[in-house]
Amino acid sequence: MAAAAAFSPWRRTPGRLIMGLALWLGALAAPAMAQPRPVDNPVFTVTNVPVDASAPNPLQAREKAQMEGVKRAFDILVRRLVAAEDIARITPPSDPELESIIKGFEFADERTAPGRYIALLSVVFRPDRISGMLRGAGIPFVDAASPPVLTIPVMRSTAGVVALDEKTPWREAWGNVAKAGGLVPTPLLRADATDLKAINPEQAFVGDMAALSRLAERYGAQRILVSVATGEPDGPFAVSGTVYDFTISDKLTLAPQSGVAIDKLIDAAVRQRTRLEEDWKAVATLSHDIADAVAVVVPLKDLAEWVNIRRRISAAVSVRRVQVQSLEEGRAIVVVNFVGTRAQLDKALEQRGLALVDSGGSLSIVTR
């Protein structure tokens, strides 16, 4: 195969990408052009809601756009946090109630005309108020983002695999998706000199575990998504993806997509990210009005294994505290405090490569 670095047929097509992005934004009402401020909880932040309002004067139009945009942002937030079957159980808040659950908002890309106001609105909601509202209604919800999934966009054609630092339409599409925020952060491979030394395009394409492990160590990533778009420069493309989970030494193959036009690449990336978010919601949607604790035995070979297992237990999304009762040769006895049901705890531990098993009348946490 020809050296990837020598192959660079991809030309930038901003018009096409902008058109695809605009369609995606209209469909999802959650554009991907800005990020929440670092001090704000990204789970409870909704960015870049498009608003377009008319009124007798620009000031009134702006106020109308703000209220309409906040309501749309609240709807987006609810769909992010709760299961689809529970959405109908949520009573839409009144205007005064909306004001009480908002921490702040910001307009961007403002445009005005006589009696009209157009902009993008980002809203930061108060996590405690939203959580209290959902708990009061007895609705399970997600209140924590997934650990980031390092994303490597790869483009490939009959001429070979494109260099990872090339500015391809696929990398640009994923860059916009990564900026959108949400439950599963998907930061892109920086593709700097250190990255390019750790992995080459062909290794990324085939999922070379040694090379991917080097990246996982560098980025502190538990999971890596290799997302591949295969086709000639003008498309259409076949899109595939594989998630490599280094916590449980497993991988997940995402559903393939075929016949993807170049101006629809962002939609394909959104579908892949949506699958990651659905998987996270299945684990992280918790019944917060339920809290419990279990005493468990953790079989151990040595101290290093204990440090690793305790870290994984503590990182499980439903676990709130791990109390060590005793640390003995060959085992640790701990009390695990958690929210949600026992089944939800089982799922959360499974996601960390652990299993809660009944061992002759006592519970044990073991590696899978």
Side-chain angles (χ1 to χ4, degrees), residues 150 152 198-199 203-204 207-224 226 244-247 249:
L150 178 63
I152 307 176
I199 191 169
Q203 288 173 319
D208 184 288
M209 291 305 296
L212 292 174
S213 294
R214 290 192 289 269
L215 293 178
E217 182 176 358
R218 183 188 185 201
Y219 284 84
Q222 298 172 10
R223 292 187 293 167
I224 294 179
V226 178
Y244 298 89
D245 192 322
F246 292 89
T247 300
S249 301

Side-chain angles (χ1 to χ4, degrees), residues 147-190:
V149 177
L150 178 63
T151 301
I152 307 176
V154 175
M155 290 204 86
R156 176 175 175 265
S157 76
T158 53
V161 186
V162 182
L164 297 177
D165 58 347
E166 185 73 27
K167 293 182 179 179
T168 65
W170 190 224
R171 183 176 178 86
E172 188 170 351
W174 263 110
N176 283 314
V177 172
K179 294 175 184 176
L183 293 178
V184 181
T186 51
L188 298 192
L189 182 78
R190 291 191 290 270

Side-chain angles (χ1 to χ4, degrees), residues 86 89 133-140 289:
D86 289 327
R89 297 171 56 193
M133 180 184 68
L134 295 174
R135 284 195 184 98
I139 297 174
D289 56 335

Side-chain angles (χ1 to χ4, degrees), residues 73-117:
F74 177 78
D75 182 65
I76 293 169
L77 180 69
V78 165
R79 294 177 184 279
R80 175 188 296 172
L81 299 183
V82 308
E85 59 268 23
D86 289 327
I87 292 175
R89 297 171 56 193
I90 299 175
T91 302
S94 64
D95 291 354
E97 288 172 333
L98 271 177
E99 292 181 7
S100 71
I101 61 177
I102 292 173
K103 179 180 178 182
F105 64 89
E106 184 176 59
F107 285 107
D109 295 347
E110 297 174 282
R111 289 175 287 162
T112 60
R116 189 179 181 190
Y117 180 83

Side-chain angles (χ1 to χ4, degrees), residues 41-57:
N41 186 332
V43 174
F44 294 89
T45 301
V46 178
T47 59
N48 296 336
V49 178
V51 294
D52 185 345
S54 299
N57 62 65

Side-chain angles (χ1 to χ4, degrees), residues 64-79:
K64 181 180 179 182
Q66 175 188 328
M67 185 53 65
E68 291 177 352
V70 166
K71 290 178 179 178
R72 293 181 66 188
F74 177 78
D75 182 65
I76 293 169
L77 180 69
V78 165
R79 294 177 184 279

